[in-house]
Amino acid sequence: MPDTETVFDDLVTVAWTDGRLRILDQTLLPAEERYVDLTSVDEVVEAIRRLRVRGAPAIGGAGAYGMVIALDEARPATAAEARKVLADAAERIGTARPTAVNLSWAVERVSAAAAVGSSAAEVRARALAEADAIVAEDRAACDAIGRHGADELVDRHRLLTHCNAGRLATLGIGTALGVVYAKAAAGHPVEVYAPETRPLLQGARLTAWELRRFGVPVSVLPDSAAAMLLASGRVDAVVVGADRIAANGDVANKIGTFGHAVAAARAGVPFYVAAPLSTFDPDTPDGDRIEIEQRDATEIRRCGDRPTTPPDVDVWNPAFDVTPHELVTGLITEVGVLRGDYSLAIARLFERSTTREGEAP
Ligand code: MRU
């Protein structure tokens, strides 16, 4: 595989170009590679809700630039007016999808950084600088996650992932797929099993597309075949991304992840989660407190233009599930691989105190 910088730079998930937010419309992949420009908060919210842009870090980046768009739309005359615009936009954009903490984290970070500006122009300049910083940091985090993951999985070549936690889901080379690309770039053998990821097929459409584009061997399977694949001994490790990691290490990720973790434990296959620190939520104590996005029934009742169920049948369509931390072998982050006592490791990272048995708080 050629060096990642050159290969990846012609595929842009989220970019600020000529005062506009440009995204690759992921609903059209793999049939069509079309970039669209978003110029209003309505368009940003729609693009995030419809999954034109998706994946926790990528929606964080899109949301961050959405805050600049809010200022450009409203054209506030004073810093106070600009702060009001930012507060409204943070509420609207930050709640467009509730599970991925990166989104609310990013809009709040932009809001806080911009708020100290002493004029409307300075507020905007600060908002844009902060959004750019979020993108640069995620890019660096993905590179570091790739390096740590490639070291951790140096002898494990056949990897099962879920959904898409790659270039398309982040502002860099990806988290779970960042590990894959880092292994490939180091010249190590690597091949990926990509469950199709019902109902919106991020594995089949997106993970398969980007891995093919970057020359990594990939096989797509129905989600329901993953347990059998794991039991067959043909997978050396599972590596998935995350939308939110609670203070105790419980992991919310795309629906179906929990099932893979259970099957991996049964088969004795290690189960890793790769995620930047921006996906950790030390304020949420455990997975039970993570809000799980429920999506529209039509995503289940139809596949493309075709009905898949009788009309109006009842549907339960959670977008994410929670994998309990006991099933997680390691959390691959930009600062290294966390393992063992996740509560303690996460508290240390975020400099919080945890009360442990036998210890004073
Ligand atoms: O609904 P999606 O496609 O946004 O879900 C994406 C995932 O579940 C990813 O695994 C997660 O956001 C991590 S992306 C690095």
Side-chain angles (χ1 to χ4, degrees), residues 51 54-57 97 163-165 169-170 175 202 242-243 253-254 320:
L51 275 56
R54 33 93 18 228
R97 296 192 75 192
C163 191
N164 172 268
T170 64
T175 56
Q202 290 94 327
D243 283 82
N253 192 48
K254 177 55 56 188
F320 303 97

Side-chain angles (χ1 to χ4, degrees), residues 248-251 258 261-262 264-265 269-271 273 286-287 322-331 340-343:
N248 70 343
D250 290 351
V251 175
F258 177 31
V262 171
V269 174
F271 179 93
V273 176
D286 56 45
V322 173
T323 299
H325 62 275
E326 302 85 22
L327 295 178
V328 178
T329 309
L331 296 170
D341 186 338
Y342 292 118
S343 294

Side-chain angles (χ1 to χ4, degrees), residues 26 48 51 53-59 97 100 102 138 142 161-171 174-177 197 200 202 205-206 240-244 252-255 257 274-276 279 293 295 319-320:
Q26 298 188 33
I48 292 172
L51 275 56
V53 56
R54 33 93 18 228
I59 61 175
R97 296 192 75 192
N102 301 62
D138 191 62
C142 286
T161 190
H162 192 60
C163 191
N164 172 268
R167 174 73 174 148
L168 292 169
T170 64
L171 307 160
T175 56
L177 298 190
T197 315
L200 297 177
Q202 290 94 327
R205 294 188 302 107
L206 307 178
V240 299
D243 283 82
R244 189 181 295 242
N253 192 48
K254 177 55 56 188
I255 190 74
T257 303
T279 298
E293 175 184 1
R295 292 192 58 87
F320 303 97

Side-chain angles (χ1 to χ4, degrees), residues 19-309:
R20 288 155 184 229
L21 171 55
R22 180 161 293 171
I23 59 159
L24 176 59
D25 186 344
Q26 298 188 33
T27 61
L28 304 175
L29 290 171
E32 191 183 343
E33 193 175 328
R34 190 197 301 167
Y35 288 88
V36 292
D37 288 342
L38 309 177
T39 55
S40 69
V41 172
D42 282 348
E43 285 176 359
V44 172
V45 169
E46 191 269 354
I48 292 172
R49 288 216 171 108
R50 287 281 316 277
L51 275 56
R52 296 187 196 286
V53 56
R54 33 93 18 228
I59 61 175
Y65 286 124
M67 299 289 281
V68 184
I69 289 176
L71 292 168
D72 289 348
E73 257 193 305
R75 297 182 175 278
T78 64
E81 281 175 31
R83 279 192 282 278
K84 171 81 175 69
V85 170
L86 288 175
D88 292 347
E91 172 63 22
R92 286 188 58 208
I93 299 171
T95 55
R97 296 192 75 192
T99 304
V101 70
N102 301 62
L103 181 57
S104 53
W105 168 85
V107 295
E108 280 158 22
R109 185 172 146 174
V110 169
S111 222
V116 298
S118 56
S119 65
E122 193 189 337
V123 168
R124 187 200 183 271
R126 285 177 175 272
L128 182 55
E130 198 65 15
D132 286 341
I134 286 171
V135 172
E137 286 170 27
D138 191 62
R139 193 177 167 122
C142 286
D143 287 345
I145 287 169
R147 283 194 303 275
H148 291 303
D151 286 349
E152 177 78 13
L153 299 176
V154 65
D155 296 322
R156 299 184 182 272
H157 309 315
R158 301 167 303 170
L159 306 178
L160 176 79
T161 190
H162 192 60
C163 191
N164 172 268
R167 174 73 174 148
L168 292 169
T170 64
L171 307 160
I173 63 168
T175 56
L177 298 190
V179 175
V180 169
Y181 295 130
K183 279 175 74 68
H188 298 153
V190 61
E191 61 184 277
V192 176
Y193 288 105
E196 57 186 350
T197 315
R198 285 283 301 155
L200 297 177
L201 302 173
Q202 290 94 327
R205 294 188 302 107
L206 307 178
T207 292
W209 181 80
E210 69 162 88
L211 288 174
R212 284 280 293 269
R213 181 176 176 126
F214 298 126
V216 176
V218 55
S219 306
V220 174
L221 57 146
D223 295 357
S224 46
M228 184 172 150
L229 180 75
L230 284 158
S232 76
R234 288 160 63 193
V235 173
D236 299 319
V238 181
V239 191
V240 299
D243 283 82
R244 189 181 295 242
I245 300 175
N248 70 343
D250 290 351
V251 175
N253 192 48
K254 177 55 56 188
I255 190 74
T257 303
F258 177 31
H260 299 332
V262 171
R266 172 85 163 64
V269 174
F271 179 93
Y272 288 93
V273 176
L277 297 186
S278 54
T279 298
F280 285 69
D281 180 6
D283 294 331
T284 295
D286 56 45
D288 288 346
R289 299 332 139 86
I290 296 176
E291 183 182 348
I292 299 296
E293 175 184 1
Q294 293 287 332
R295 292 192 58 87
D296 199 276
T298 52
E299 291 178 352
I300 302 292
R301 292 194 191 122
R302 306 190 71 81
C303 191
D305 294 338
R306 302 177 67 118
T308 53
T309 67

